[in-house]
Amino acid sequence: MMLLCSSKLDGLHNGLGRLLLEQSNLSWILFLAVWVFDACSHTKTAWSNTSTEAGPSWAYSGLLLSALQEFFIYPFPLPRSPLVLACVRGSVHPFLPCSEDWPSGAALRQVFVGPFAGYEYRQGASSPLAMGSTGFSWTLPDHPKLPKGKPVAVVVLDGWGEANPDEYNCIHVAQTPVMDLLKNGAPEKWRLVKAHGTAVGLPSDDDMGNSEVGHNALGAGRIFAQGAKLVDQALASGKIYEGDGFNYIKESFENATLHLIGLLSDGGVHSRLDQLQLLLKGASERGAKRIRVHILTDGRDVLDGSSVGFVETLENDLSQLREKGIDARIASGGGRMYVTMDRYENDWDVVKRGWDAQVLGEAPYKFKSALEAVKTLRAEPNANDQYLPPFVIVDDSGNAVGPVLDGDAVVTINFRADRMVMLAKALEYADFDKFDRVRVPKIRYAGMLQYDGELKLPSRYLVSPPEIERTSGEYLVKNGIRTFACSETVKFGHVTFFWNGNRSGYFDETKEEYEEIPSDSGITFNVAPKMKALEIAEKARDAILSGKFDQVRVNLPNGDMVGHTGDIKATVVACKAADEAVKIILDAVEQVGGIYLVTADHGNAEDMVKRNKSGKPLLDKSGDIQILTSHTLQPVPVAIGGPGLHPGVKFRTDIQTPGLANVAATVMNLHGFEAPADYEPSLIEVAEN
C-alpha cells in the first residue's frame, strides 16, 4: 500500500496512516476505522463548501478504508477501488453514504486515483503529490500469463447490437458470414456486454448509448459521469460559466433576453429543477437582465399533478430575481407529450406546437400567470400534466411576455438528448423543412449538452464532455505500443478523440499514426450504404501487414450511419459491407499470427422498427410500420481470437454486468500487460490447463 502525503495532513494523520500500512495489529486497525469515519464526516462539509483544505484528507480516508477492507474488517465490499471511486460512480454506501454535493469525479481523481495507482498531477500544478516513497509510473506490469509482442486488431462495428432475429433486424437479414462464424463457431470466445445507461455513465438504463460515450468507455476503461452527473459537476464547480457555450449566449445578456426551454421536473430523467434553479442564479449573477422560462410539465417521470408545486417553486425563484431588478418570468408552457418533446421524428406537430408558443408567442390558451394556466388546464376533463395544451403568458395588453426575438439567447435545459434533438434542429438548421417556422429569429442557441455528436447538434453547448485522464491509449503508447487508428470522417473522431478521453492529437507522434478517410458528401448514407468500409479495411490490413504497429484500431460506421436513415434495405447492404471489411482485417491478423477483438459501441441496425411493450412492431395511422432510426438499448458483442491468442484465454463468468468499459483492460491483457487497478476488470482470464 502507498500513502498519500501532503502538507495539508498533520502529523497525527501521517502517523496513524503509517501505522496502518506498517502494522497488521487488528486492534490498531479497528481504532482507525473509527477515525476514518470521523475524518470523512468532517471532510464532507469541507468539500461541500468548496474548500481545498480537506481534499487530501478525503483521498487519504478513502485509502484507509481500502486498507481496512483488505484486512477483512470493513464489512461492505467496494468495486475494485477505494471509497472515492465508489462515490464517483454514485454508489450509496451504508457506512459512508455518498452525496451529490460531494466532490466531482474529476476533482477526486486529481487528488487520488486508486490504492495502487500512485499519484496524479493536480490540474494546473507543476509538481506531483508524493505517495510515500513511490512515485507514479506509466509502466504497466507484465501480465503473468499472456505474452507481449502479438499485434492486436481492435475493430468497432458502429451501431451493431444483438437482438432477436426478425425481418427488421438488419444484421440478421444481411449476409454476415464472418460475424456469424465468430458467434457460432467459437461461442466461448464471444460474449455480450452492456453499451447503454449506467454502463457508459448515463443517468439511467432507459438512456440509450451513443458513439461518444461508447468510445469514451471503450478507451478509458472506467465509467465517467455523463448526462445529469456531468451537469451537476459543471454547476457545482462553476465551470459551466467558463466555457465557450456560456460565453456565447452571454453576449445577449446586455441588450436581449435569455430564454430557457425544458422540462420542469425533479424526475432526473430528462432534466432537474435544481439544475434550472442554479442556472437561473448563475446567469443572473453574470449579467442576464431579462430571462424567460418556457416550461414543459412532466407527469411521466413524476406524479401527475406535481406540476403545480414545481410551478410554485419556480415562480417563487423568479419573484426573488425580480426583487433584485431582473425581469424574470415564465413565458409559455405545455405538457411534454403534446408540446416540444417528441423524439425519433415521430410527430413534428408536437415540436411545432412548442415552436409556436415559445418562439412566436402564439398558443390557443393565454393566461396572466403560469400557475393559473396549469391549474385551469388541469381542471379540464381527462387533463393531465403530460398532455397539457400549449399556452402563453400575456401582459395586461394581451401581448405575449416572452417570444424569442432577434438577438436573444436560447438554452434548452434538458440533459437527456432524445427529446431535445428535434427542437434543436428547428432552432439551429437554416434549411429546416419539417414544418413552417413562420419566423426564424437570429439567436444565440446552446444546449445544456451536445445532444448528437454525429450531427454536432447543437454546435454550442454549456457543458463539455468529461475530462478523462490515463486512457488505455495513453498507457499503451507510453509502454511502447505503436498504434494505428483509422476510420472515415463521420467516425474518425470517435476512434481517436473520444477513444483518447476527449483529447485531440497524438500522445506520442513517434508511436502513433491516425488516418482519416473522407466520407461521402452531398448524399445521404443510404444512397451509398457501403460507405468507406472497404477503404478502412484495406488501410487496416496494410497497417497490420507492415509490421510497423502493435495495435490497429478502426471504426466501421455502416450499421449506425445507414441505420439512422431508416432505410431497411440499405441498412442490410451496410451490414454486409461491414462484415466483408471485418474479413479483410481478420485475414491480415491471421497472416501475421496476431490477435483480434471485435466489438461495437451501441446498438442500431439490429432493430429498425418501433415496438409496443410486448415487442410487436407499431403501426402508424396508415397501417405502415413505424421505422426506428435511433440507437437502441441492446447489448453489443465482444469477440476475441486469432492465432496469437493464448489457447487458455477464455471469457470470465464472474463479472456481474460487464460493459464497454471492461474492454480496455481486456485489450491491455491481449498486449501482455496488466491493467491499472482502478480500471474496470478485464473480460478474460487464462485457464490453468
Side-chain angles (χ1 to χ4, degrees):
M1 298 283 283
M2 294 176 286
L3 181 63
L4 179 63
C5 299
S6 169
S7 60
K8 304 298 181 183
L9 295 176
D10 58 27
L12 173 64
H13 288 188
N14 280 301
L16 291 175
R18 293 185 191 282
L19 182 64
L20 171 63
L21 299 178
E22 295 170 3
Q23 304 291 330
S24 59
N25 187 297
L26 189 60
S27 62
W28 278 113
I29 298 170
L30 288 169
F31 166 74
L32 284 173
V34 178
W35 176 82
V36 170
F37 182 85
D38 178 70
C40 291
S41 299
H42 168 76
T43 303
K44 176 182 175 181
T45 302
W47 269 109
S48 65
N49 290 326
T50 65
S51 167
T52 57
E53 289 293 308
S57 296
W58 166 246
Y60 183 73
S61 302
L63 176 60
L64 290 172
L65 280 177
S66 183
L68 292 176
Q69 181 188 354
E70 184 172 324
F71 281 98
F72 303 106
I73 52 170
Y74 179 54
F76 308 107
L78 293 174
R80 283 177 48 84
S81 52
L83 184 63
V84 286
L85 289 179
C87 287
V88 171
R89 292 174 186 165
S91 301
V92 178
H93 240 265
F95 185 55
L96 284 175
C98 298
S99 171
E100 295 267 340
D101 64 357
W102 287 27
S104 68
L108 286 171
R109 284 188 294 275
Q110 288 165 9
V111 178
F112 182 76
V113 173
F116 309 104
Y119 63 71
E120 278 291 309
Y121 287 93
R122 288 179 182 271
Q123 189 172 2
S126 58
S127 61
L129 296 171
M131 292 193 74
S133 60
T134 305
F136 170 78
S137 173
W138 283 102
T139 302
L140 293 170
D142 292 346
H143 194 284
K145 298 179 181 179
L146 296 178
K148 292 190 181 72
K150 303 291 184 180
V152 178
V154 180
V155 181
V156 180
L157 291 162
D158 217 291
W160 192 288
E162 181 80 2
N164 293 330
D166 65 17
E167 60 188 303
Y168 307 114
N169 181 337
C170 293
I171 297 170
H172 167 70
V173 174
Q175 295 179 22
T176 56
V178 177
M179 292 301 294
D180 291 346
L181 184 60
L182 294 184
K183 178 180 179 180
N184 302 318
E188 72 282 0
K189 300 286 194 301
W190 167 287
R191 72 164 305 156
L192 297 175
V193 298
K194 190 177 172 184
H196 74 284
T198 55
V200 289
L202 295 170
S204 79
D205 285 341
D206 290 328
D207 296 311
M208 56 190 164
N210 61 60
S211 296
E212 295 74 47
V213 301
H215 283 79
N216 276 172
L218 285 166
R222 290 148 292 160
I223 301 170
F224 284 81
Q226 309 275 359
K229 293 180 181 179
L230 203 58
V231 175
D232 287 338
Q233 293 172 4
L235 285 165
S237 67
K239 192 171 183 178
I240 192 171
Y241 307 114
E242 301 168 2
D244 293 340
F246 188 83
N247 287 326
Y248 174 64
I249 64 166
K250 189 178 178 181
E251 295 175 29
S252 296
F253 287 3
E254 182 66 28
N255 301 307
T257 302
L258 169 63
H259 298 265
L260 304 175
I261 304 174
L263 187 66
L264 185 65
S265 172
D266 66 0
V269 177
H270 293 270
S271 67
R272 282 217 322 269
L273 175 59
D274 61 324
Q275 293 180 349
L276 171 60
Q277 292 172 303
L278 288 170
L279 188 58
L280 281 167
K281 181 176 183 292
S284 63
E285 291 173 347
R286 290 163 177 82
K289 299 177 179 179
R290 192 170 189 270
I291 302 173
R292 294 294 182 264
V293 184
H294 303 266
I295 66 171
L296 300 166
T297 53
D298 192 350
R300 186 179 178 96
D301 302 321
V302 293
L303 290 175
D304 183 47
S306 59
S307 58
V308 174
F310 294 139
V311 170
E312 289 175 334
T313 299
L314 179 58
E315 289 281 31
N316 182 62
D317 292 343
L318 298 178
S319 175
Q320 293 179 30
L321 290 178
R322 289 195 294 272
E323 291 174 0
K324 298 176 181 178
I326 297 166
D327 181 6
R329 300 188 62 179
I330 295 175
S332 73
R336 57 176 285 179
M337 300 303 291
Y338 193 66
V339 178
T340 300
M341 284 178 58
D342 188 48
R343 62 178 175 180
Y344 313 147
E345 303 197 5
N346 183 58
D347 186 352
W348 279 102
D349 285 342
V350 173
V351 184
K352 185 182 189 307
R353 292 184 199 107
W355 179 274
D356 290 348
Q358 298 149 2
V359 177
L360 304 182
E362 299 175 359
Y365 295 92
K366 299 179 180 180
F367 296 93
K368 291 294 185 66
S369 78
L371 190 57
E372 177 194 4
V374 172
K375 287 183 175 180
T376 301
L377 294 174
R378 278 191 52 80
E380 294 293 320
N382 302 317
N384 60 58
D385 287 349
Q386 293 188 58
Y387 289 92
L388 291 186
F391 61 84
V392 295
I393 307 305
V394 297
D395 58 21
D396 292 337
S397 301
N399 298 318
V401 301
V404 179
L405 304 174
D406 286 349
D408 287 354
V410 176
V411 175
T412 45
I413 64 169
N414 287 20
F415 49 74
R416 179 162 162 172
D418 58 349
R419 293 189 183 274
M420 281 286 106
V421 168
M422 294 168 71
L423 175 59
K425 290 179 179 179
L427 289 167
E428 184 148 316
Y429 286 174
D431 59 350
F432 180 84
D433 61 358
K434 300 301 182 181
F435 58 80
D436 183 3
R437 292 180 289 184
V438 182
R439 178 173 60 83
V440 185
K442 297 177 181 178
I443 61 173
R444 292 181 174 89
Y445 167 52
M448 182 67 86
L449 298 159
Q450 187 168 65
Y451 298 129
D452 192 317
E454 293 159 6
L455 298 176
K456 301 191 183 308
L457 181 74
S459 57
R460 310 268 187 166
Y461 40 91
L462 301 188
V463 180
S464 297
E467 297 177 0
I468 301 173
E469 80 295 321
R470 300 187 305 109
T471 63
S472 61
E474 186 170 13
Y475 264 116
L476 289 171
V477 166
K478 290 182 182 298
N479 282 269
I481 298 301
R482 301 163 299 169
T483 303
F484 176 84
C486 176
S487 189
E488 60 177 282
T489 303
V490 292
K491 296 294 181 179
F492 176 72
H494 295 83
V495 82
T496 54
F497 175 85
F498 291 107
W499 190 283
N500 290 335
N502 308 318
R503 181 189 187 278
S504 298
Y506 297 110
F507 294 116
D508 183 346
E509 61 184 11
T510 67
K511 294 186 178 69
E512 295 173 278
E513 183 177 325
Y514 300 161
E515 185 150 351
E516 176 183 350
I517 299 171
S519 292
D520 294 324
S521 60
I523 60 172
T524 55
F525 292 108
N526 58 321
V527 174
K530 293 183 178 181
M531 299 181 67
K532 303 301 178 185
L534 176 62
E535 292 88 335
I536 295 168
E538 289 175 341
K539 291 290 185 182
R541 176 198 63 198
D542 294 346
I544 293 167
L545 297 180
S546 72
K548 293 167 51 180
F549 302 102
D550 304 295
Q551 182 183 115
V552 173
R553 184 172 70 238
V554 301
N555 178 295
L556 297 169
N558 305 64
D560 190 45
M561 300 309 296
V562 183
H564 280 312
T565 69
D567 187 329
I568 292 178
K569 290 183 179 179
T571 306
V572 170
V573 175
C575 293
K576 182 175 185 292
D579 188 77
E580 292 169 346
V582 173
K583 184 179 189 307
I584 292 171
I585 297 169
L586 267 53
D587 284 349
V589 169
E590 188 74 24
Q591 291 183 53
V592 299
I595 302 169
Y596 62 77
L597 183 147
V598 181
T599 188
D601 55 349
H602 57 75
N604 187 333
E606 78 283 358
D607 196 2
M608 297 284 290
V609 65
K610 298 176 184 178
R611 300 178 185 274
N612 60 24
K613 293 182 178 180
S614 64
K616 301 292 185 182
L618 290 173
L619 304 179
D620 61 20
K621 296 176 183 178
S622 302
D624 298 322
I625 61 165
Q626 295 188 34
I627 296 296
L628 181 68
T629 60
S630 70
H631 300 162
T632 72
L633 303 178
Q634 300 295 341
V636 301
V638 177
I640 55 174
L645 185 66
H646 187 290
V649 168
K650 64 176 184 178
F651 281 122
R652 295 169 56 175
T653 59
D654 60 337
I655 303 175
Q656 186 173 4
T657 309
L660 291 181
N662 298 90
V663 169
T666 308
V667 172
M668 288 175 160
N669 290 173
L670 296 177
H671 280 293
F673 298 107
E674 291 274 24
D678 64 330
Y679 269 41
E680 292 296 316
S682 172
L683 294 169
I684 61 174
E685 61 184 0
V686 182
E688 292 298 328
N689 297 319

